Amino acid sequence: MTTNDVDAGTNRAQLEANMTRIEELQQRLVSALTKKRPIPNALNGPEATLYAKAGQAYWQEALQNPAKLIEQQVHYWGKTMQHFAEAQKAFAAGKMEAPENPGRKDRRFSNPLWDTHPYFNFIKQQYQINGDAIRDAVESIDDLDPTEKKRLRYFAQQITDMMAPTNFFATNPDALEKAIETDGESLVKGLENLVADVEANNGELIVRLVDESAFEVGGNIATAKGEVVYRNRMMELIQYAPSTEKVHETPIILFPPWINKFYILDLKEKNSLIRWIVDQGYTLFVVSWINPDEAYADIGLEEYIEEGYLTAMNVAREICGTEQVNAIGYCIAGTTLSLTLSLLKKRKQKLVKSATFFTTLTDFAEQGEFTPFLQNDFVDGIEEEINNTGMLSSFIMARTFSFLRSNDLIYGPAIKSYMMGETPPAFDLLYWNGDGANLPGKMTMQYLRGLCQRNEFANGEFEMFGETLSIKDVDIPLMSVATETDHIAAACDVYRGVQQMGSKSKQYILGGSGHIAGIVNPPSKVKYGYSTHDDLGLEFEDWKNAATQHEGSWWPHWEAWLKRRSGKKTEARVPGDSSYKSLAPAPGTYVQIKAVKQKQ
């Protein structure tokens, strides 16, 4: 027996063992999938009526203008036939190579075989032809409501992305090559990853994006020194330890969004906004919100404001002996900060000296990329889910956000994990992204119905605490920071809200990058840059064209603005040196609470 025979026998035995293991994992997968809890149909995707309305509009137009339909079909058939003929010609000539024009570039098709191998190149180009045909068909529908057309455009793109050949083993050269090289071992590891993800989420398929074992909150992330100095059922208030002998008199309170955990602002020392603020000589308080469960079903924006914002402000004022604080609100916490400022205006209380908003929406007249998810059918589905569980679970929100970038956050990671058998990376940002929070039922519906759908705050109609709140009531000095490629709070929408605020002293900054990277942009990296312009009376595009471009981080620009509103220097305050003693070291206990998993 030769060495080759031994190697072949070994490979065959390994392959057979892997196939047996795959059968066992398939049985585990089927068992895990049976544990999935049903959720309202509206949350699983678009209603059938959306496609029915689109199809009705398409065929009605076709009957009225049959030439248009014929033209589209003939164009599609012609491109497909030409494509097939070119491939046949290459095969007949004995050329195992792609045509001279391999089709347009797409980072999903980075393997050279997509351009050089006739089989894979044919599949790629046909997929692109199909995608173009679907998009053209959607755009050709003239007699459809603009909102429904925007939704149809979105869902059509989702279907196109889902059907990409890279998402299927038989048409993914990377996965095929890896399986052959490893004698099927990559398939076994991939199926193990798949089964583990489904089992971990009670039958729900949620792609694990990161190696969670690589991080520990308070261990190697969220390590800035500080103490929890106050706690109630809504939040823990963290006072961070000073790093300078003197600090500005007026303290800062930072309100992070409660959809995620606050430590995005303290992932690691070199990009920690929390550490940077402290190093500039400020007393900094950060709110760490509770991760609610079904017991918080009746908690609304009122409790977030009364027991969160106002309580935190009063505690900070007592600790520092000041009449006012400077406040920061990020995303939904910025939206709620604006509600709080309106309420304080109505109550004639001047607790806040200045406000800073990070990627904050206050005018929801335009729903942007969230249009598909803010129509009644989807929101009705959320309300049904809330009526059943008392909350909106983290996994529903995470899945919704993921579909805005499905190739990056769903299909790409799934290919690497399930087809290639790769271990998810140890990436701190993705770890934070997966460490989500649930939302209380009442608060969720107030936000979706009152703010997002009816735009009551911008319209001066949002009722709370017996007052009618309005965006025009926000009249203290403010700075708003938006980011250029934000998928959640579009820069133009942020700008429109700032324009309507009543402050006589307000600034708008447009930073580079997106919702997270554009905010967590430390000066040491000299990345992205930002734009400024004083005239907020301009239309957004005119403002952009007239704005001055600056290199590097916007942090120093903001700090120079904040310094003028922070008073004289005083002795640094040490957490626990007042009547509010330390309850726990930072990052506290609430941040450790994980989102509630789906129940059976």
Side-chain angles (χ1 to χ4, degrees), residues 520-584:
V520 184
N521 181 24
S524 59
K525 290 188 176 182
V526 195
K527 290 179 69 175
Y528 304 131
Y530 63 98
S531 304
T532 60
H533 189 57
D534 292 335
D535 189 353
L536 300 186
L538 300 172
E539 293 296 321
F540 179 67
E541 289 301 324
D542 294 332
W543 183 95
K544 282 181 65 177
N545 293 333
T548 301
Q549 306 295 316
H550 307 272
E551 291 186 357
S553 172
W554 55 266
W555 292 7
H557 178 97
W558 166 66
E559 194 275 327
W561 174 86
L562 186 68
K563 184 186 299 183
R564 299 194 297 272
R565 295 161 177 83
S566 300
K568 62 185 180 182
K569 288 292 189 74
T570 186
E571 294 296 322
R573 297 130 173 162
V574 178
D577 66 357
S578 70
S579 60
Y580 290 88
K581 303 302 180 183
S582 174
L583 302 177

Side-chain angles (χ1 to χ4, degrees), residues 357-400:
F357 300 99
F358 295 163
T359 61
T360 294
L361 292 172
T362 48
D363 181 348
F364 295 83
E366 297 293 332
Q367 297 170 344
E369 294 189 37
F370 279 92
T371 297
F373 305 106
L374 290 177
Q375 307 314 304
N376 278 332
D377 53 4
F378 195 83
V379 177
D380 288 347
I382 289 177
E383 191 164 23
E384 181 183 344
E385 172 72 2
I386 285 171
N387 290 338
N388 292 334
T389 66
M391 63 182 183
L392 181 61
S393 65
S394 174
F395 102 91
I396 292 177
M397 287 186 293
R399 186 177 61 180
T400 301

